[in-house]
Amino acid sequence: MSSQKLTVKQKKFADEYIKTGNATESYKKAGYKVDKMSSHAISNEASKTLLKPCIKSYIDAQMKKLEDSKIMKASEALQGITAIARGEAKAKAYVGDDKATGEPVYREIYPTIKEIQTAYDSILKRYPVSDADKAQIKKAQAEAIKAQAEAQVAKAQAEQLHTVADKTREKMDKLSIEELRNLAKLAGEDDD
């Protein structure tokens, strides 16, 4: 901003101009004496006032502040990503209209596991990971893969046992009562 300080009228003019973008209306609202001026003269004076270096600098500085406040900073982005990673972020999802009032009904939804993982990945990209951390991550990934494989093996074994049990049941169903009694006697002799 210029080293020259704005007068009260100049500041009011500049602030009004920032709000409306209309120099003539801003000039009138700023308190300049316009009663005996033609609309052409007011427009001329407003344009001259707008071009004064101290006013132009002030408007430019204020506009930059406004623009800067609209742009997300890195810290704000990281805070948002962190909220997602922690499962704290939530959004509203439209679920329909209330039958009684006809008003829209919303419910809160939270990030999915995939969205949380994506947030973790996004955060970790910004921070260097030490070799010890990398090793720990690899170990955890290996353990997760091993656990998943063990779960698949257990599932396959359970399915195989069901198949064997089903086949045994089918064979038992085909046996006569006499054959079943003989089997029971044989099983009873082994217990002694």
Side-chain angles (χ1 to χ4, degrees):
M1 191 166 121
S2 176
S3 60
Q4 182 182 358
K5 190 163 173 121
L6 297 178
T7 66
V8 173
K9 283 183 185 177
Q10 287 174 330
K11 184 175 182 320
K12 190 167 182 181
F13 168 80
D15 289 339
E16 280 297 321
Y17 181 77
I18 290 167
K19 287 181 201 171
T20 65
N22 185 321
T24 303
E25 288 303 312
S26 300
Y27 190 81
K28 291 177 187 176
K29 288 182 180 181
Y32 290 101
K33 294 183 180 179
V34 294
D35 297 342
K36 297 178 182 174
M37 295 173 70
S38 69
S39 59
H40 180 71
I42 295 170
S43 179
N44 248 358
E45 286 301 311
S47 294
K48 286 181 192 175
T49 304
L50 189 58
L51 294 175
K52 290 184 179 180
C54 62
I55 292 175
K56 185 161 178 22
S57 293
Y58 175 79
I59 290 172
D60 290 345
Q62 292 303 102
M63 293 301 285
K64 182 166 177 20
K65 282 183 193 176
L66 288 173
E67 284 304 311
D68 284 349
S69 69
K70 291 179 184 176
I71 298 170
M72 181 181 286
K73 306 292 184 267
S75 62
E76 185 181 355
L78 283 172
Q79 288 170 356
I81 294 169
T82 300
I84 293 169
R86 290 181 176 155
E88 298 167 350
K90 53 189 171 187
K92 287 186 179 180
Y94 173 76
V95 292
D97 292 334
D98 184 284
K99 291 179 182 176
T101 64
E103 295 291 320
V105 177
Y106 298 91
R107 70 176 171 87
E108 289 182 340
I109 56 172
Y110 292 87
T112 64
I113 298 298
K114 183 170 176 46
E115 291 166 336
I116 290 171
Q117 182 60 48
T118 301
Y120 283 145
D121 292 343
S122 182
I123 290 169
L124 290 174
K125 284 179 188 176
R126 289 161 175 79
Y127 296 100
V129 179
S130 70
D131 289 337
D133 290 339
K134 287 178 186 175
Q136 196 171 10
I137 290 169
K138 281 186 180 181
K139 180 181 176 189
Q141 288 172 335
E143 288 172 356
I145 291 168
K146 179 183 174 189
Q148 188 176 15
E150 287 172 348
Q152 288 174 341
V153 166
K155 182 180 177 186
Q157 287 174 339
E159 288 173 358
Q160 190 176 23
L161 283 174
H162 283 293
T163 303
V164 168
D166 289 343
K167 286 181 180 178
T168 303
R169 190 175 302 112
E170 286 174 12
K171 287 182 181 179
M172 297 279 288
D173 288 343
K174 291 180 184 177
L175 294 176
S176 69
I177 293 177
E178 188 61 36
E179 290 170 322
L180 288 171
R181 283 187 184 141
N182 287 337
L183 274 175
K185 285 180 186 174
L186 285 174
E189 289 174 11
D190 288 345
D191 290 343
D192 290 340

